[in-house]
């Protein structure tokens, strides 16, 4: 008997099977087995979800801020209380280790914390007597229906960068999860219902390209939040703008850290190991590139290895495991191909994870931590987003040369520097072409009340995600100019009123 579960959608406050166009296998990357089948929504299913969301949004927009934030407070508690169920869903489909999955949920929950205080972010401006007896004030209103299209690597956190802010500001939301990791989104949908969110305000519609295209082209969708790879971010932004929608599209990354010779190399190595190999390198804020300045490369690579050899690779549900498999067999083959190519081009393989195996899981998509030193700047392993547990070390003679290398990258998500020189650190934060900068912090992911986003190929569109930029993206500004003519033209306080019984 097959153990395969069917994974569908959530529309109007209930599970919804609709009329699927096809079924997409969902694998457990640690076992290599297909454990679920995702129903790919049809254009008619998307249309149904948009109609339901539009209808629900009308009333939700008029629901008081006090009631809206009360839902967010309840949702925050429910996410905490159901963290184990969410984490298990993440591990089963993504493969990351359980503790990392719990950490992802905590980071996502921070955006719920921010949304609990959304009233503070929704205050407008007010000026009196801008002309005689004329006042002006501004209000921010929801855009309407927002579609969120998400990547596989953070099945809970990345959607949570979007929906708490979109919903708290009065929008309805349609989430399109990534096809390898859809289940956690359905748990979130159920929790929103338990939190008292009216049916239809949060919906999940699963599928692949056709579903995204249908959402982008649907006249009932007002804004698209996208997070994923750069080529797809470009497509989504171009199509979205052509359809007259607001779009924010966060793309891929190839984050660099400059390691200066004056820094504490032991400290840097410990943090670089965690940043390069955590979540098997499948983070847009992972650190796949180190630019070693002034000859520190070989020593640094050896020090990183001293930490990396202790990383326990295995099934994310097993005790003590710190790194799981990569997402798919195809991803493993792609990453191994990039490592092989870098080696052929002369890189030194300081640590080789290509032969990684895990007892009892012969068919998992395993790849161990890999360190490549003195990688050529022409090597695809350096230039492309590797999105796996491989650290490339490139060499530079000076800070000036290093910053040139960092800024020549097509991406500009995060960037970091390790140094004990405040002057160099200050220059770096001003010179570097990246949206999120770390000084002796290798993964400079901003807290939820700051916004998250990169520069260059890491972000299409104008606004970063969540925090204050999220509020701006999910709301439209309106300026109201008003005058209340009266016989005397005086202020109401100076006028006499006759009360009618
Ligand atoms: P992806 O671009 O392949 O897919 C992202 C989403 O787009 C999925 O929901 C997918 O179904 C959909 N999609 C795929 N092809 C499409 C197409 N041609 N037209 C329309 N929609 C399409 O990304 P992924 O492999 O799921 O995730 C990994 C990528 O996401 C990496 O590049 C990573 O850096 C990036 N990412 C970026 C951030 C960030 O904040 N900048 C955060 C997380 C992940």
């Amino acid at each position: 008997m097959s153990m395969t579960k069917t994974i569908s959608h959530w529309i109007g406050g209930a599970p919804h099977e609709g009329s699927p166009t096809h079924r997409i296998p969902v694998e457990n990357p640690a076992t290599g087995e297909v454990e679920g089948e995702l129903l790919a929504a049809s254009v008619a299913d998307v249309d149904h979800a948009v109609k339901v969301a539009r209808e629900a949004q009308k009333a939700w927009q008029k629901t008081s801020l006090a009631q809206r934030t009360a839902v967010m407070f309840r949702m925050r508690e429910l996410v905490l209380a159901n963290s184990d169920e969410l984490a298990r869903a993440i591990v089963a489909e993504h493969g990351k280790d359980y503790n990392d999955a719990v950490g992802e949920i905590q980071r996502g929950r921070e955006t719920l914390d921010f949304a609990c205080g959304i009233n503070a972010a929704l205050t407008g401006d007010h000026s009196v007597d801008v002309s005689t007896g004329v006042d002006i004030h501004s209000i921010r209103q929801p855009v309407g229906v927002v579609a969120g299209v998400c990547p596989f690597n953070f099945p809970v956190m990345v959607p949570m960068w979007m929906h708490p802010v979109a919903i708290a500001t009065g929008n309805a939301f349609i989430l399109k999860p990534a096809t390898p990791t859809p289940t956690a989104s359905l748990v979130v949908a159920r929790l929103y219902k338990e939190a008292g969110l009216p049916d239809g305000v949060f919906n999940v519609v699963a599928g692949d390209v056709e579903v995204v295209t249908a959402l982008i082209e649907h006249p009932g969708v007002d804004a698209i939040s996208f997070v994923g790879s750069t080529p797809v971010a470009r497509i989504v932004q171009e199509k979205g703008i052509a359809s007259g929608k607001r779009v924010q599209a966060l793309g891929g990354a190839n984050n660099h850290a400059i390691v200066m010779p004056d820094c504490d190399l032991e400290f840097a190595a410990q943090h670089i190991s965690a940043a390069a190999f955590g979540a098997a390198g499948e983070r847009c804020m992972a650190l796949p590139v180190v630019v070693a300045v002034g000859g520190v490369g070989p020593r640094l690579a050896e020090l990183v290895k001293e930490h990396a050899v202790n990383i326990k690779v295995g099934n994310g549900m097993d005790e003590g495991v710190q790194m799981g498999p990569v997402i798919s067999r195809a991803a493993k083959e792609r990453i191994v191909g990039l490592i092989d190519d870098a080696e052929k081009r002369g890189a030194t393989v300081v640590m080789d994870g290509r032969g990684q195996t895990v007892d009892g899981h012969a068919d998992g998509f395993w790849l161990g931590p890999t360190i490549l030193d003195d990688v050529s700047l022409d090597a695809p392993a350096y230039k492309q987003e590797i999105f796996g547990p491989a650290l490339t070390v490139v060499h530079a003679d000076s800070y000036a040369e290093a910053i040139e290398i960092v800024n020549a990258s097509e991406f500009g998500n995060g960037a970091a520097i390790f140094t004990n020189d405040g002057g160099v650190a200050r220059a770096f934060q001003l010179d570097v072409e990246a949206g999120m900068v770390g000084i002796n912090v290798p993964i400079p992911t901003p807290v939820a009340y700051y916004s998250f986003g990169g520069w260059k190929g890491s972000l299409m569109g104008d606004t970063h995600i969540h925090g204050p930029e999220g509020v701006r993206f999910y709301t439209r500004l309106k300026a109201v100019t008003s005058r209340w003519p009266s016989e005397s033209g005086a202020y109401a306080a100076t006028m006499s009123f006759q009360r009618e019984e």
Side-chain angles (χ1 to χ4, degrees):
M1 198 177 75
S2 164
M3 296 296 286
T4 309
K5 64 173 181 174
T6 300
I7 307 159
S8 60
H9 324 293
W10 181 279
I11 300 175
H16 183 91
E17 293 221 340
S19 45
T21 54
H22 57 289
R23 289 166 179 259
I24 303 168
V26 178
E27 291 168 322
N28 182 330
T31 61
E33 283 170 17
V34 173
E35 293 190 359
E37 272 194 336
L38 179 66
L39 304 182
S42 64
V43 172
D45 296 328
V46 172
D47 184 55
H48 173 60
V50 175
K51 285 187 176 132
V52 166
R54 283 212 85 73
E55 198 51 39
Q57 194 272 333
K58 286 183 205 157
W60 180 241
Q61 171 170 0
K62 292 185 178 150
T63 303
S64 74
L65 269 173
Q67 284 171 288
R68 278 194 248 153
T69 49
V71 171
M72 290 295 150
F73 275 104
R74 286 195 292 272
M75 183 63 180
R76 178 190 186 280
E77 294 309 307
L78 283 166
V79 166
L80 284 175
N82 291 274
S83 181
D84 179 61
E85 184 184 356
L86 285 165
R88 284 170 186 275
I90 294 171
V91 176
E93 293 175 354
H94 177 283
K96 66 178 71 174
D97 67 88
Y98 181 85
N99 288 336
D100 195 29
V102 171
E104 159 178 357
I105 295 160
Q106 297 288 352
R107 294 307 303 263
R109 198 221 66 231
E110 287 178 17
T111 310
L112 279 165
D113 298 354
F114 175 79
C116 289
I118 203 73
N119 31 20
L122 285 179
T123 53
D125 296 320
H126 195 157
S127 302
V128 296
D129 282 331
V130 292
S131 185
T132 308
V134 176
D135 303 337
I136 185 164
H137 69 274
S138 63
I139 50 181
R140 299 204 77 96
Q141 291 188 298
V143 290
V145 173
V146 176
V149 180
C150 292
F152 78 82
N153 64 325
F154 284 106
V156 168
M157 184 187 78
V158 166
M160 259 184 208
W161 286 350
M162 305 172 181
H163 52 76
V165 183
I167 291 173
T169 51
N171 299 282
F173 195 86
I174 302 173
L175 171 58
K176 206 302 277 175
T179 49
T181 53
T183 296
S185 297
L186 297 167
V187 178
V188 167
R190 194 193 77 223
L191 297 181
Y192 264 128
K193 190 174 174 81
E194 284 174 40
L197 187 72
D199 293 347
V201 177
F202 180 83
N203 308 278
V204 179
V205 179
D208 39 35
V209 181
E210 296 76 27
V211 172
V212 180
T213 306
L215 285 166
I216 292 174
E217 291 177 351
H218 201 295
V221 173
D222 301 286
I224 314 273
S225 286
F226 172 88
V227 177
S229 60
T230 295
V232 181
R234 285 213 171 91
I235 294 171
V236 169
Q237 196 215 17
E238 283 165 14
K239 283 191 178 167
I241 287 175
S243 302
K245 299 187 191 343
R246 294 188 166 197
V247 185
Q248 58 178 182
L250 283 75
N254 193 19
N255 304 322
H256 291 47
I258 295 178
V259 176
M260 296 297 291
D262 69 281
C263 81
D264 179 341
L265 267 193
E266 304 269 348
F267 172 89
Q270 180 190 347
H271 287 270
I272 288 167
S273 171
F277 306 125
E282 291 174 328
R283 292 172 172 155
C284 68
M285 289 298 277
L287 185 66
V289 181
V290 161
V291 187
V293 178
V296 297
R299 172 88 187 115
L300 180 74
E302 285 300 329
L303 286 173
V304 174
K305 182 179 174 182
E306 283 177 20
H307 291 281
V309 289
N310 294 320
I311 295 173
K312 188 173 172 198
V313 179
N315 184 330
M317 288 310 298
D318 289 349
E319 192 66 31
V321 164
Q322 296 157 307
M323 196 182 112
V326 295
I327 187 68
S328 63
R329 186 160 283 116
K332 176 178 170 176
E333 284 167 7
R334 179 185 58 76
I335 299 160
V336 168
L338 289 169
I339 297 168
D340 291 347
D341 175 76
E343 188 178 20
K344 277 199 204 108
R345 289 169 188 260
T348 309
V349 183
V350 177
M351 186 169 173
D352 192 347
R354 285 172 289 188
Q356 179 77 48
T357 54
V358 171
D359 287 346
H361 290 302
D363 295 325
F365 311 137
W366 307 111
L367 205 51
T370 298
I371 303 171
L372 301 168
D373 187 25
D374 206 7
V375 177
S376 143
L377 295 181
D378 296 331
Y382 162 71
K383 283 165 72 172
Q384 294 177 13
E385 178 177 32
I386 202 157
F387 223 56
L391 175 68
T392 57
V393 181
V394 301
H395 295 185
D397 289 334
S398 62
Y399 166 76
E401 189 188 340
I403 191 77
E404 217 170 284
I405 291 172
V406 176
N407 285 346
S409 169
E410 91 172 92
F411 304 100
N413 215 37
I417 192 164
F418 285 91
T419 180
N420 277 325
D421 184 327
V424 172
R426 181 173 186 276
F428 176 73
Q429 66 183 278
L430 300 177
D431 293 342
V432 73
E433 292 175 15
M436 294 168 284
V437 178
I439 294 169
N440 297 314
V441 174
I443 302 192
T445 304
V447 289
Y449 44 95
Y450 280 69
S451 300
F452 181 111
W455 285 18
K456 302 194 288 186
S458 297
L459 179 88
M460 320 291 141
D462 305 316
T463 48
H464 289 196
I465 208 162
H466 71 60
E469 293 256 298
V471 174
R472 276 194 282 281
F473 183 74
Y474 296 127
T475 57
R476 289 182 290 189
L477 193 60
K478 190 180 264 179
V480 182
T481 305
S482 57
R483 172 192 281 145
W484 293 95
S486 67
E487 271 180 30
S488 67
Y491 289 111
T494 63
M495 296 164 70
S496 59
F497 290 94
Q498 280 199 321
R499 188 186 293 268
E500 284 182 21
E501 291 303 317

